[in-house]
Structures are given as C-alpha cells and as structure tokens.
Amino acid sequence: MADDVRRWSDELARDPASLVFLPLGETLRRQGQLDLALKIAMRGLERHSHNPDAHDLLARIAVDRGELQRAFDEWDMVLRLTPDHVGALKGMAFVRFQQGNTPEAEQYLQRATEKNGGGDAEVAAALANMRGAGRGKRAAGGGARDASESNAHSGSPLPRPAPLTPHPAAALFADILGDHEQTALLLDDQGLVLAGIYVDGNGDDVGDEVGAELSGVSDSARRATRHLDIGEWRAIILETEVAVVTMAPSKSDGLLVVAASKATPLGLVRRVLDRCLERARQWLEAGR
C-alpha cells in the first residue's frame, strides 16, 4: 500500500490532471490522513469538477471529518451528475439518520434499493436497522408517556429523565452507530443478548447466533492475557472477508461486539466501540 501511495503521488506530481487522485485520496482517507486526503480531493475537483467519483470521495472524507452537511451536499452533487449512484443515496441516508431524520433516511435507502434492483444486502441491513430503531423509539415514547401519567396521578413530582430512557434495548446503540454499515451487540457472561442487534447481509438479526458463538471469548481472552502476563485484555480486533469486528469486555464479564464494513477506518471503528462501551456501562448501571 505504501508503494501504491508513493507511485500515485509521483504520477500526480508529473500530471496534476491525472485521475490517480481518486485512489490516492481514498487510501489516505482509510489511513486516517484526513487533512492530506482532503487536500488531494480538492485539488482533483478543481480539474474534474463534473466527475461524480471525485465528489463521492470528498463526501466520504467529510463524513470522517464530522462534516455531515458538507458530505450530504457532495453526495447531492453526485446524484445530479449520476442519478443512479447507489453509493450517494446510501451516504445521504447515513447523514439524515445521523441528523435524526429517520423517515428521510429510509426514503433514500428505498431509492437505493430500487436503483439496485433490490439486491444490495447492505441496503437491506440498513433498512432493517432503521426500521427497528424507529419501532423502538415509538415504543419508548409510549412508555415515557405512561410513566409521566402515573407520576402525575400519584401527586409526586416528575423525575428527571435518565439520559438513556429513550433507548430500548434493541436500539440502545442506534444513535451512536448511525452508519448503516455498522452494528453492535451487548452480551452477558453466558453469551445471551442484552441489547443491540447484529444484522447479517440479508438484513436478519442474528444476534442470538453470534452470542452463542462468542460465549467463551471473554474467558479465553482473560486466560491468554494472564498467561502472557500482559494485564487485563481491553479489545480484540478481527478482520474477515466482509467486515471488521471488534470486541471488548463489559460489566459483569459481558462482551460488547461492534462490526463494520471493511471500508470503515479502524480508528473510527475503535471510537464507535469506545462510545458503545460507555453507553453500555451507563445502561447497565441504571438497571436497564
């Protein structure tokens, strides 16, 4: 990969109009060199302003930089140039979901499904995630109203709402993940699912199956680290053919599992894992 970066950089230096800025910028983005990737993408766009792949690259860089609206605008430009661009529709869905606009996010994903003939497993998984989260939020909203009415009738003051009250177990990590290419699962010490969902390529929740397979991971990791005398284990990162899977110990010998597409930078996956761990800790300490 380092040789590719060097070769592309040399070619771009020789020919500033070369399209090698596309793979170069994407590689730098995946390596977490966002400022340099942005500079490469912007210079490329100056010469190829009507290239949809250039705008798509800039959008993905913007997402990694936390500039969601800029990413949305770039993907909107991609659609203007290439109306059938499924990646742009998926990206716009991600941004709207992150912004709390789930209905519009579903619309973009539905359009992506139609453009792709319904055969995109990632889109199917995304729709399942969003619709599951939506049902959870509606259920949580009803529960909050019931609790408020009960307190009102009892004459006691309304309690200060806990930060995690709006999140039912299935959608506990939904607002953290956002990206339809990520999923998270919280397991107890027996591998039973406590919260979250694990969606496979067909959009099905296979959390119970995953939990059963991983039921002994925490014990094995603990024995290995003690045998090597390297302290307590903190995380395991596995890279499969289709995903990057990270695992970390949670309260009471539980396990948190976060999976993301292979295109997701490892740094971003680890940040998501850390945020999910904190959410799980708060949720467990609050008595679920």
Side-chain angles (χ1 to χ4, degrees), residues 102-277:
T102 302
E104 190 172 337
E106 287 189 26
Q107 291 176 14
Y108 282 116
L109 286 179
Q110 188 60 46
R111 285 175 58 188
T113 300
E114 295 168 358
K115 297 290 185 184
N116 209 34
D120 192 318
E122 288 184 353
V123 173
L127 280 169
N129 268 324
M130 289 186 182
R131 288 168 179 168
R135 287 193 296 271
K137 289 179 180 178
R138 288 193 291 273
R145 285 193 296 273
D146 292 343
S148 297
E149 291 171 359
S150 175
N151 280 314
H153 287 304
S154 69
S156 61
L158 292 176
R160 184 181 184 87
L164 302 181
T165 300
H167 299 275
L172 183 64
F173 308 112
D175 61 322
I176 296 176
L177 298 171
D179 187 348
H180 51 266
E181 295 182 344
Q182 298 174 358
T183 188
L185 198 64
L186 179 63
L187 307 172
D188 69 6
D189 59 338
Q190 302 299 314
L192 298 177
V193 177
L194 296 177
I197 57 176
Y198 197 106
V199 179
D200 66 7
N202 296 319
D204 299 321
D205 183 5
V206 293
D208 291 337
E209 292 88 339
V210 172
E213 292 292 332
L214 298 178
S215 59
V217 166
S218 292
D219 287 339
S220 297
R222 188 181 300 108
R223 285 196 299 270
T225 54
R226 288 178 179 173
H227 177 72
L228 296 172
D229 194 23
I230 56 176
E232 294 298 323
W233 79 284
R234 296 183 179 179
I236 297 174
I237 301 177
L238 302 174
E239 187 171 349
T240 72
E241 293 183 357
V242 296
V244 175
V245 181
T246 61
M247 292 174 279
S250 67
K251 186 177 180 181
S252 301
D253 291 330
L255 186 71
L256 179 68
V257 184
V258 173
S261 74
K262 290 189 69 174
T264 309
L266 286 179
L268 177 59
V269 177
R270 187 54 196 262
R271 289 196 295 273
V272 169
L273 178 69
D274 289 342
R275 292 183 62 192
C276 287
L277 276 172

Side-chain angles (χ1 to χ4, degrees), residues 46-97:
E46 290 175 0
R47 295 172 173 82
H48 304 280
S49 59
H50 292 88
N51 185 310
D53 292 334
H55 288 280
D56 181 52
L57 170 62
L58 185 56
R60 283 180 275 118
I61 294 171
V63 166
D64 287 354
R65 288 167 57 90
E67 301 169 352
L68 295 183
Q69 191 55 49
R70 181 178 186 180
F72 185 91
D73 293 341
E74 291 298 329
W75 274 316
D76 183 60
M77 178 59 71
V78 172
L79 286 185
R80 293 173 188 270
L81 297 169
T82 311
D84 294 334
H85 200 291
V86 174
L89 289 168
K90 291 161 64 177
M92 294 167 83
F94 163 65
V95 171
R96 286 298 184 247
F97 185 71

